[in-house]
Amino acid sequence: MLPESNTLRRIVGMALREDIGTGDVTTLATVDPAAVGRARMVAKAYGVVAGLPVVEEVFRQVDPAVTVMLTVNDGARVGPGETLCDIEGPAQSILTGERVALNFLQRLSGVATRTARFVEQVAGTGARIVDTRKTTPGMRALEKYAVTVGGGRNHRIGLYDAVMIKDNHIVAAGGIAPAVERARRLVPHTMTITVECESLGQVDEALAAGADILLLDHMDNPTRAEAVRRAKGRALTEASGEITEETTAAIAATGVDILSIGALTHSAVALDISLDMIAIEARL
Amino acid sequence: MLPESNTLRRIVGMALREDIGTGDVTTLATVDPAAVGRARMVAKAYGVVAGLPVVEEVFRQVDPAVTVMLTVNDGARVGPGETLCDIEGPAQSILTGERVALNFLQRLSGVATRTARFVEQVAGTGARIVDTRKTTPGMRALEKYAVTVGGGRNHRIGLYDAVMIKDNHIVAAGGIAPAVERARRLVPHTMTITVECESLGQVDEALAAGADILLLDHMDNPTRAEAVRRAKGRALTEASGEITEETTAAIAATGVDILSIGALTHSAVALDISLDMIAIEARL
Amino acid sequence: MLPESNTLRRIVGMALREDIGTGDVTTLATVDPAAVGRARMVAKAYGVVAGLPVVEEVFRQVDPAVTVMLTVNDGARVGPGETLCDIEGPAQSILTGERVALNFLQRLSGVATRTARFVEQVAGTGARIVDTRKTTPGMRALEKYAVTVGGGRNHRIGLYDAVMIKDNHIVAAGGIAPAVERARRLVPHTMTITVECESLGQVDEALAAGADILLLDHMDNPTRAEAVRRAKGRALTEASGEITEETTAAIAATGVDILSIGALTHSAVALDISLDMIAIEARL
Amino acid sequence: MLPESNTLRRIVGMALREDIGTGDVTTLATVDPAAVGRARMVAKAYGVVAGLPVVEEVFRQVDPAVTVMLTVNDGARVGPGETLCDIEGPAQSILTGERVALNFLQRLSGVATRTARFVEQVAGTGARIVDTRKTTPGMRALEKYAVTVGGGRNHRIGLYDAVMIKDNHIVAAGGIAPAVERARRLVPHTMTITVECESLGQVDEALAAGADILLLDHMDNPTRAEAVRRAKGRALTEASGEITEETTAAIAATGVDILSIGALTHSAVALDISLDMIAIEARL
Amino acid sequence: MLPESNTLRRIVGMALREDIGTGDVTTLATVDPAAVGRARMVAKAYGVVAGLPVVEEVFRQVDPAVTVMLTVNDGARVGPGETLCDIEGPAQSILTGERVALNFLQRLSGVATRTARFVEQVAGTGARIVDTRKTTPGMRALEKYAVTVGGGRNHRIGLYDAVMIKDNHIVAAGGIAPAVERARRLVPHTMTITVECESLGQVDEALAAGADILLLDHMDNPTRAEAVRRAKGRALTEASGEITEETTAAIAATGVDILSIGALTHSAVALDISLDMIAIEARL
Amino acid sequence: MLPESNTLRRIVGMALREDIGTGDVTTLATVDPAAVGRARMVAKAYGVVAGLPVVEEVFRQVDPAVTVMLTVNDGARVGPGETLCDIEGPAQSILTGERVALNFLQRLSGVATRTARFVEQVAGTGARIVDTRKTTPGMRALEKYAVTVGGGRNHRIGLYDAVMIKDNHIVAAGGIAPAVERARRLVPHTMTITVECESLGQVDEALAAGADILLLDHMDNPTRAEAVRRAKGRALTEASGEITEETTAAIAATGVDILSIGALTHSAVALDISLDMIAIEARL
């Protein structure tokens, strides 16, 4: 889901301040304030578009007189030459907002595109591709939105909205059972508890302790399949640990419910998109 | 250069709020507040490290009782298994800060590593690899720092600190000459003027107009070489336009002073680094 | 759990700005900056103390030279005349911080005290007393902390960390089944789904749809007991709807797992606590 | 007076961020974005309404497409079943803003209602009921507004806009006379000076020192009456110290000008008000 | 009084961000991070120093390793060549903070110096020189502090802490009497009411209405003297309206209590002060 | 150039909060909310107007229902009695915003007026008058804008956008040549390098090192003229050091390209401008 409007406004405002600072000197010096422009955002590669509402917010903040007309919506699969939106308004404002708008759109579309490729690998299985907390600092809400645009699903938002008991927590608490028990007693009853398991023994312990979700970390596929079998009807199973596009299908075939993949966000690369100015006129 | 301390503090604070929100429920529920831990950040791939001072700031904010002892400094070339730093302090605080610290370090090291690969391609020529404004929103200062750590150099910071006259500005101003003349008249005398040239005709116009820097956009190499020849002693020359690691050496051979490369930041992927907890004890 | 340090710092800073504004004119005009004071916070009524770490943060921000020595910790049951903490440092700073420190401590102790009274009513049953989102704007994290200090437990933090499907959502989605199904499909797999049920028919529907928690709203106790029976082993049950200290025990006796009570926060009154200055001297 | 628009906007924005965070998952998952709703805020108890302009601001921020039509204005005395306002717009937005709107309205109406009960006790006397600085951190401006809505008046805003010399200031300054003299010399001539008096001897001292207002703290009524007699025409008199609804009339009868009462804000409880959704339709 | 520490911190932080932005490129490029420097702030003109605590805060924020040793305190009258403070620490940090420190110190000393010249004109009379709201946006708290350093006194802080009824308010309220009466009824009893009077008739009206302070605006001195006579013992009198150093003594001689002078702040010019680097060494 | 809209909004918002705080008590108490007013801003002295867009922003924030109709634009030369703009809308809002609007307009017009007087001195020469970093903390962007309105030009914005090597940097770097060389190597190629020269020897060194701009500090005019001769065609020349209106013409006659003058901002005094209320009516 797209972050609510206040959050979106704040992120975009921060990005504009970072880029524009005390002013776009080039545009202010060379472009007539009365000049009106028409521009077009065009894909230059194949991918899934994400971030068009962010583009709209960028131009709303730069200048409410700029109009953005979407040709496609977030989630569209596009290819080279395809128009994403048309932009019309004061030429100064279009030029000043261009780079920030593209920086958001290219990165988010990159995340969506990457996600979509993973999602294709699990088509037909019941498995879902979900993200992790390995997001770019400050961009988590938007990157998680882009994952859903690409057909993926979200994991917990941060450290505050779900319990995930990893190896170090287990050591610190003196075992899986006491860790789960303490969490159950202390956190809101609305929160689920995930336990990271590195062996079938831990799977059994976690199930006995009443974990809601088992994170099967760095297991081989036969072990994963056995873990899934044991957990069936008792807990969700989640595979993680350097999952690549190549290994995804085989992991999904083990029957796990969820594959959580850091690369959706930490290794996504920008989708190539350009803003082409079609016309600059004193008055359109 | 690393952003000054107030800026660094603000970015890190924002990232921590984003991840920790109302609290790291898992750690608070499972780890004894009195438990002390020792952890180690270890590289799991070859690359150039960037962002260790950010790691220090993360743990300073999470808990001043955590100590980070650097084993290497930013700029170090590391390989799998190499220790980057040791971390000691309250186990709760180490676990709570782990992910944010890694998110910064992995992304910035990814940028530095990517940059270093491009820089190697121009070794022995006088050409410099520089970044662009195609950075992740909110991360520009840090990503530009990472570029310098990788051996690259920085381009302008944003729209406010240098003039870059591109095709649309030329159209809007009615030509290169009037665009340069207006900018010279209106912007601070301390700012340089770059003019984007797509042909040798434009190169001549820009030189005649007194541009400080010529941005040779999407030219073939022979044309670039001729542009360099014409500009020699009169203006710096900068090549740009989808430069890849493969095409870098040949472009540098044309004699251009600068290669500006968006991929340093918009397509860098995280360098694989992990935080391993070595010991958790009630009292070390 | 106490909100993490950045959040606490921000809330306290806001409260100090609100009260001190451009300066405590009385203290600045009448008290020698060199004068040192000793003060004591003393309970003037029976109750459960909550907020002492906030008191510490208040004086840390007003003046790091002020020392707060706790005599009891949060959660202590105190009575009239009992000392909560001693405060020592520049007399100006103690006087300037006094009211803000008390405003936090009195309100949070009021919440903890109120909670403790409800918790006593369910002693011996397995039922837990939990809070709601009916908190004072801006104080949610602290008020929810105070609830745990009083022996209660927390419900979801806000609208973002758990699904709670109420009557209007059911209407909008076209029934309980489609509402649960859509939520299951769209929200993170780490989130639980609560469904508000106003009849046994809805209880059955919610169970069939796979709800994790049933919110039994405004039911009479026999109906609640039947709902609990049907949900046993399939979902947690939560009673809500104008629960008072008088009705709590009977509701708990129906076997519900959770009683969620808005009055813990929306109708708590301040616990009477005073700050007594014991000595003001030029130099202690 | 209602806080000026920037302040109101900031407080409401903070409350919405606190509750909505990364998004109202339930509503986003279950309610069609195109669905339109009609809702009504209805009193469920007797009281004085305060905070309707805050409700308007809440929905303005959540979604400008939501319209709030007031049926009554702040200050109205209402009873169970009475409509306060009608709300119309996107059903998602109404549901998302509901709780924050109610949290403000219920608390502020609680303060106004509490104030009105005290004000009734002094009807016919010239005495005024005023608030104190014992407000909820962050809510002072709004709670003080609610006091005026309930027929009360405001005391000073904070530590910065009036001098109030209490026992500790007297001790620190070496007596009432030097304390008043120093304050008169150092603070703006536009500020009044209040002196807290615990005996008639202090009343005489304060009058001799030229205090503008005498704060008669914890005196019995005959002493208060004598203090009032001595101060007549020379200073305003203010009674304070655990004043209850029961003791108010008798205190007012002593002739004091002002009764300042912390309970107006520190012990107000929420007025019961609900938001009822009347219709949800795809298109109204 | 100096603004409380949080306010000071915020203003200084804002000024540093404004000047340093993404970094002091010159210093970072040319000065060894290990180099230590000794510098001295020296007056280059006669005046009253104000702002040394702000200088300390500037360097505390730039680098806690910098030490500022004051030679004089705020309020000192200095002349050319006189040392104000010595500064020692990392040479980079001294150079980076220099300009912001001087910008504050020079402006505030300019205000204090200007104020002192006015104060000298009223020596021996009981009249006080006070400031107005004609301050530099963002600098009010500091400029008002500088006025007190120069021997002046403060007027109200802003629109919120005292009532000042001017001509337009009188027109809007339908006369002085109703304006005063409404204000008395609506604002806190702790606030004074000033009425602007342009004639003796208005003076009589304002006194009859019970104004606390009469603002005698743009009157000639004989009229002012008569107004003072009529107000004696009933209200304070304040002269205002383009008062210059030349006209001050004569106005004070009319017996007015207060002269409020916008020029203290809106037309103060910087006092000439320089920072001289005495030594830069790799290690002192 | 006027700062971009977000920056302007933030500065104005801060100034309004500073002045209005919890509310304009006088206006709220004495003026009917329904009353409408017409006011006029009128110059009361000769000068150059700067800041009218800031006035518009002030009233936009105070109340969008206020309309500001400009009679002249920034840059207009006005004299006593000349109307600058008409303001119409709710009388309360006009009165509440008046002082902040005037504080901005008077100070900025003071800077523009001061600048214009310097600019007149260099008319006919090619020399430009530029500002410095000696601006009021927080007001740099606006004061630099006012300089351009007065016909001046801007120097670098802050420490981050251009290199200026001063005496201490030269000492620290071990000479002009290594200082320039290090800067050239480390800062963006888009930044120019200015070197401060105090003798002709240093001029020669700086030229040899390839400085872009020579800052001729505190030289006598014959030396300046010789420096200009040597730099011709190789570097821009900038004169600085306590330049007054009296010395400006002679300095310009030496042929320097630029005169940088701190007094444009650090010693500008407010231009006298008043806001006259023409009519207050319940309904216009």
Side-chain angles (χ1 to χ4, degrees), chain A residues 47-228:
Chain A
V48 177
V49 179
L52 289 167
V54 187
V55 169
E56 294 178 304
E57 178 63 23
V58 166
F59 285 108
R60 199 176 303 131
Q61 287 196 20
V62 169
D63 184 349
V66 173
T67 318
V68 177
M69 289 142 296
L70 303 188
T71 312
V72 300
N73 285 310
D74 273 8
R77 283 159 187 275
V78 299
E82 213 158 315
T83 297
L84 309 184
C85 62
D86 284 284
I87 302 169
E88 208 170 296
Q92 282 196 341
S93 304
I94 296 175
L95 291 169
T96 297
E98 167 183 0
R99 175 50 41 213
V100 169
L102 285 172
N103 281 351
F104 276 112
L105 189 63
Q106 290 186 267
R107 172 147 192 87
L108 297 178
S109 298
V111 170
T113 300
R114 190 84 204 260
T115 302
R117 288 210 301 265
F118 276 97
V119 170
E120 277 159 29
Q121 304 299 322
V122 299
T125 74
R128 319 164 204 163
I129 300 298
V130 313
D131 52 36
T132 64
R133 287 166 47 241
K134 300 180 180 178
T135 53
T136 315
M139 294 281 284
R140 182 167 295 170
L142 286 175
E143 291 185 351
K144 284 191 163 251
Y145 162 71
V147 165
T148 66
V149 170
R153 300 271 305 273
N154 296 144
H155 209 293
R156 62 175 173 166
I157 318 168
L159 291 168
Y160 54 95
D161 67 313
V163 175
M164 180 172 297
I165 297 172
K166 300 196 175 177
D167 49 359
N168 292 311
H169 301 108
I170 294 170
V171 170
I176 287 177
V180 172
E181 185 275 329
R182 292 198 56 181
R184 214 42 109 195
R185 184 153 43 79
L186 292 170
V187 309
H189 64 274
T190 49
M191 285 188 187
T192 55
I193 297 178
T194 298
V195 174
E196 189 185 73
C197 301
E198 291 171 341
S199 68
L200 291 172
Q202 288 194 317
V203 165
D204 291 337
E205 278 184 72
L207 288 170
D212 299 300
I213 304 159
L214 306 186
L215 175 63
L216 310 175
D217 196 40
H218 287 97
M219 287 181 176
D220 58 26
N221 284 339
T223 314
R224 278 192 186 111
E226 173 58 18
V228 168

Side-chain angles (χ1 to χ4, degrees), chain F residues 16-72:
Chain F
L16 286 170
R17 264 197 308 282
E18 181 185 66
D19 194 37
I20 304 179
T22 47
D24 176 356
V25 286
T26 311
T27 298
L28 289 168
T30 61
V31 180
D32 184 346
V36 176
R38 263 199 219 118
R40 181 163 292 171
M41 281 197 173
V42 180
K44 299 174 71 176
Y46 288 97
V48 177
V49 179
L52 289 167
V54 188
V55 169
E56 294 178 303
E57 178 63 22
V58 166
F59 285 108
R60 200 176 302 132
Q61 286 196 19
V62 169
D63 184 350
V66 172
T67 319
V68 177
M69 291 141 296
L70 303 188
T71 312
V72 300

Side-chain angles (χ1 to χ4, degrees), chain D residues 1 128 130 148 153-157 160-162 164 183-192 194 213 236 238 258, chain E residues 1 128 130 148 153-157 160-162 164 183-192 194 213 236 238 258:
Chain D
M1 297 139 180
R128 315 163 207 165
V130 313
T148 66
R153 302 270 306 273
N154 295 144
H155 207 295
R156 61 175 173 166
I157 318 168
Y160 53 95
D161 67 313
M164 180 171 299
R184 212 45 109 193
R185 185 153 45 79
L186 291 171
V187 308
H189 65 275
T190 49
M191 284 189 187
T192 56
T194 298
I213 303 161
L236 290 177
E238 170 185 347
I258 294 139
Chain E
M1 297 142 182
R128 315 164 207 163
V130 313
T148 65
R153 300 271 305 273
N154 294 144
H155 208 296
R156 62 174 173 166
I157 318 168
Y160 53 94
D161 67 312
M164 181 173 297
R184 214 41 111 194
R185 186 152 44 79
L186 292 170
V187 307
H189 64 275
T190 49
M191 284 190 188
T192 55
T194 298
I213 304 160
L236 289 177
E238 171 187 347
I258 293 140

